[in-house]
Amino acid sequence: MVGKEAMSTPVMHSTEMKSFDIAWVREQFPSLALQYSRHTSAFLDGPAGTQVPKQVMDAVQYYFLGANANTYGAFLTSRRANEMILSARAAMADFFNCDSNEVVFGQNMTTITFALSRAIARELNPGDEIVVTTLDHDANVAPWRALEEKGVVIRQVGIRESDCTLDLDDLKRKISAKTRLVAVGYASNIVGTINPVAEITRLAHAAGALMFIDAVHYAPHGPIDVKALDCDFLVCSPYKFFGPHMGTLYGKKEHLEHFKPYKVRPATDASPECWETGTQVQELIAGIAAAVDYLAELGRHCDLSVKTRREALLAAYRATRRYETTLITRLIEGLQTIPGVKIFGITDPKRFDERCSTLSFRLGDHHPTEIATFLGDRGIFTWDGNFYALNLSERLGVEQKGGVLRVGLVHYNNADEVDRLLVALREFVAR
Ligand SMILES: Cc1ncc(COP(=O)(O)O)c(C=O)c1O
């Protein structure tokens, strides 16, 4: 690996990163070349699922070619399937900064969270409280609200509408001695706000509550360190960070061993496998490991001095964060010159460390679907609607009007795509 990189990249004399090699990045993603009606596709739809590098496609194929069997059999392909799952757990452990036995795989974040909320509910009593937020995707609200059936009280934290950030004073008021769990997103999948989850974890723990973080939207944009955060649970979905359609859960070992998942009798009681209901989508677990390895390869490409996979992941995120900030700056500056655009969330460049490169806006009275269709016809893929962050869409008063238009920039996007979007929007306005 190092040899290959040394051939294609200049040797670094310090640990300083070189400029972001977007050409190398884009080569890793074959689907970025997809043509649509004489246009090269511009994938600005990442928040609903990113494209995957060829390493991920190869890993899925490799699984089918040589490791396709159920686990714990006394033969070659079954042993390989076991080994593959162990190495995927190790990859996600580096991704989260935890131990391998604290990593659980599942169908997606929503399914994992419903399963976990039911397991935790076995120990809750009527009157116990759970704190959720108005900024969150409903997958981090509904699984907790479902416990109202058991008499659990849900407290919902509000936002500051001017910049779409969490109202921390309200959060402090809502956490009390009755709080058993605080469920907060790491970043908003509509407006891109990054929440102060470390601080919120401290507040939750000071009240004796568990902290559950939905990192689905944050994972493609920033490094996750569950040890530093000290959170109890954290979920994210590999299909949002360049991997296949699955979900993953980090749970502190003591909690994964203490809480009891609903499971079939013959399945193991040993954690973390007891949390993985039924046969897993093993070919996609192979793809998850490859997605983490892709990010690590990117990190080594950016910083030749890194040694471990974890260090390489951190280097990758340092580089992508810096690069994505240039893209979002360009996008916001451009949008602000288009008459009728109303951006939701943080637009002050001095506060860009509080946001990631996901942005939503409305354009006059136009229905977001009309704009997304216009852009889609020009090969520019964006999303319109509420993206299941229903509380926020309602709170911002856009739910009845088709929601917002969302532009998601990730590290494989480039300035050219941002400019194409801006030109197309000006064309839309001028029709
Ligand atoms: C912030 C956030 N949380 C949760 C989810 C749900 O994830 P999954 O599709 O893995 O259930 C999404 C999906 O868009 C999301 O953006």
Side-chain angles (χ1 to χ4, degrees):
M1 187 61 65
V2 170
K4 185 178 134 206
E5 280 169 355
M7 278 191 292
S8 59
T9 54
V11 176
M12 305 296 292
H13 296 295
S14 72
T15 56
E16 269 301 292
M17 285 182 297
K18 64 193 176 70
S19 70
F20 193 65
D21 191 351
I22 184 64
W24 179 87
V25 167
R26 289 179 70 90
E27 273 168 27
Q28 313 307 304
F29 290 84
S31 59
L32 296 185
L34 183 72
Q35 296 292 310
Y36 173 67
S37 171
R38 290 181 292 109
H39 302 284
T40 303
S41 304
F43 291 92
L44 308 183
D45 61 335
T50 50
Q51 300 304 300
V52 301
K54 58 180 181 291
Q55 293 88 325
V56 169
M57 302 175 193
D58 291 346
V60 174
Q61 191 183 22
Y62 176 82
Y63 170 85
F64 279 127
L65 286 173
N68 186 15
N70 217 323
T71 48
Y72 298 110
F75 54 96
L76 176 75
T77 46
S78 181
R79 278 196 298 273
R80 281 187 180 165
N82 280 342
E83 282 159 18
M84 180 279 292
I85 292 172
L86 285 180
S87 73
R89 258 192 239 290
M92 280 310 296
D94 282 347
F95 188 83
F96 287 139
N97 195 25
C98 66
D99 291 335
S100 287
N101 59 11
E102 295 177 309
V103 173
V104 175
F105 295 115
Q107 191 181 348
N108 49 50
M109 176 277 183
T110 307
T111 308
I112 289 173
T113 307
F114 269 110
L116 184 69
S117 76
R118 279 199 301 270
I120 290 176
R122 292 176 135 175
E123 304 199 3
L124 296 181
N125 298 307
D128 284 345
E129 296 186 0
I130 290 181
V131 173
V132 300
T133 89
T134 301
L135 206 54
D136 271 72
H137 188 287
D138 215 54
N140 197 22
V141 179
W144 309 113
R145 281 221 175 265
L147 308 187
E148 286 176 320
E149 287 170 1
K150 283 196 58 152
V152 170
V153 177
I154 304 297
R155 302 248 173 239
Q156 188 170 314
V157 175
I159 59 155
R160 284 188 292 248
E161 197 180 334
S162 56
D163 57 3
C164 294
T165 54
L166 274 185
D167 182 342
L168 292 182
D169 294 330
D170 192 33
L171 181 120
K172 285 175 194 157
R173 278 192 298 274
K174 291 205 163 122
I175 295 179
S176 75
K178 291 187 195 156
T179 311
R180 297 288 165 264
L181 182 136
V182 177
V184 175
Y186 209 141
S188 156
N189 68 319
I190 297 195
V191 290
T193 310
I194 297 173
N195 294 319
V197 284
E199 184 186 341
I200 299 171
T201 303
R202 279 194 294 279
L203 292 169
H205 286 172
L210 296 171
M211 179 71 183
F212 177 94
I213 299 177
D214 169 5
V216 171
H217 192 71
Y218 182 75
H221 301 292
I224 292 168
D225 186 339
V226 293
K227 275 208 188 98
L229 291 172
D230 192 33
C231 57
D232 299 284
F233 300 100
L234 180 145
V235 269
C236 62
S237 303
Y239 75 94
K240 310 278 193 180
F241 61 89
F242 322 107
H245 282 89
M246 281 198 72
T248 50
L249 165 75
Y250 154 78
K252 268 186 188 162
K253 186 168 178 284
E254 67 199 80
H255 299 320
L256 292 182
E257 287 175 354
H258 169 80
F259 290 107
K260 297 291 162 235
Y262 287 87
K263 57 176 277 294
V264 293
R265 205 151 55 98
T268 179
D269 286 320
S271 172
E273 284 174 309
C274 62
W275 291 91
E276 295 171 343
T277 316
T279 305
Q280 295 298 294
V281 196
Q282 295 174 176
E283 57 272 33
L284 301 189
I285 293 179
I288 295 176
V292 174
D293 281 334
Y294 156 73
L295 284 169
E297 194 179 342
L298 170 62
R300 287 186 210 101
H301 194 80
C302 297
D303 184 345
L304 296 180
S305 72
V306 296
K307 297 204 169 50
T308 65
R309 180 163 54 190
R310 175 74 189 164
E311 282 173 13
L313 291 169
L314 296 178
Y317 279 113
R318 270 197 303 276
T320 59
R321 182 107 180 96
R322 206 184 291 182
Y323 174 72
E324 288 174 10
T325 303
T326 65
L327 294 183
I328 190 72
T329 305
R330 193 180 187 98
L331 176 64
I332 290 178
E333 280 173 8
L335 284 176
Q336 283 170 333
T337 66
I338 299 176
V341 165
K342 176 176 168 32
I343 299 173
F344 296 95
I346 295 168
T347 53
D348 177 357
K350 291 200 277 305
R351 294 182 57 203
F352 279 179
D353 56 338
E354 291 174 64
R355 70 162 304 135
C356 63
S357 48
T358 298
L359 177 138
S360 287
F361 66 95
R362 283 192 61 95
L363 180 45
D365 285 334
H366 291 287
H367 197 286
T369 308
E370 188 194 347
I371 311 170
T373 307
F374 181 88
L375 295 171
D377 290 345
R378 284 151 186 77
I380 302 168
F381 305 160
T382 59
W383 276 104
D384 60 286
N386 64 27
F387 328 114
Y388 284 23
L390 184 57
N391 286 329
L392 185 59
S393 180
E394 288 171 343
R395 174 70 177 77
L396 295 176
V398 294
E399 181 57 21
Q400 301 306 322
K401 298 188 271 182
V404 290
L405 189 95
R406 179 178 69 183
V407 180
L409 299 165
V410 293
H411 74 276
Y412 56 60
N413 293 121
N414 60 23
D416 195 41
E417 291 172 328
V418 173
D419 293 348
R420 267 178 68 195
L421 170 73
L422 293 169
V423 167
L425 287 172
R426 284 194 196 100
E427 229 181 277
F428 178 85
V429 172
R431 287 169 315 155

